[in-house]
């Protein structure tokens, strides 16, 4: 009998601040194809996420011990199930990918208007699945 060790892609990402597409760092734009449209991006102190009309791109940076940057490109078509949770001051996007990985993206310090913007992202992602 064989066992496969499962390691989650990331337990969660927390994002707080929306970033206008023109203000995204150059290294984030490198992963967006010319025919794609950036919906918008978010950041926290060290990480970024960019949502396009076809995929999400997560930039996971760590500068504590050794500087590294992981870049996760996730096409929306590879999402098998998803959920959106609205909580006081917070929105959670929960994804299960075709590969079995689970991904949690949290948006914190959210008011009603900011929650509506996250709903736009979620609807764009789900539109590609239909």
């Amino acid at each position: 009998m064989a066992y496969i060790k499962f390691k989650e892609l990331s337990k969660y990402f927390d994002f707080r601040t929306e970033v206008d597409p023109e203000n995204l760092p150059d290294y984030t734009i490198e992963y967006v194809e010319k025919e794609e449209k950036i919906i918008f991006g978010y950041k926290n102190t060290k990480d970024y996420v960019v949502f396009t009309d076809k995929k999400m791109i997560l930039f996971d940076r760590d500068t504590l011990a050794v500087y590294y940057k992981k870049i996760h490109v996730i096409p929306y078509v590879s999402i098998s199930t998803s959920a959106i949770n609205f909580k006081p001051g917070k929105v959670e996007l929960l994804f299960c990918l075709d590969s079995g990985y689970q991904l949690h993206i949290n948006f914190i310090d959210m008011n009603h208007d900011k929650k509506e913007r996250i709903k736009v992202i979620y609807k764009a992602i789900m539109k590609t699945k239909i």
Side-chain angles (χ1 to χ4, degrees), residues 16-40:
R16 179 181 310 257
T17 308
E18 185 176 344
V19 180
D20 194 68
E22 290 84 36
N23 296 330
L24 286 166
D26 290 339
Y27 70 87
T28 63
I29 305 300
E30 292 176 14
Y31 295 89
V32 178
E33 301 298 325
K34 290 186 189 305
E35 65 274 1
E36 288 181 278
K37 179 184 176 215
I38 296 176
I39 300 171
F40 42 82

Side-chain angles (χ1 to χ4, degrees), residues 90-101:
K90 183 179 183 178
V91 178
E92 297 174 334
L93 295 179
L94 310 170
F95 300 107
C96 184
L97 306 179
D98 290 341
S99 63
Y101 287 117

Side-chain angles (χ1 to χ4, degrees), residues 60-92:
D60 183 12
R61 297 185 325 166
D62 185 12
T63 57
L64 294 177
V66 176
Y67 179 80
Y68 75 87
K69 182 179 1 180
K70 287 186 203 172
I71 301 161
H72 307 283
V73 178
I74 303 165
Y76 297 146
V77 295
S78 70
I79 298 171
S80 56
T81 63
S82 67
I84 185 168
N85 292 334
F86 293 98
K87 296 181 177 182
K90 183 179 183 178
V91 178
E92 297 174 334

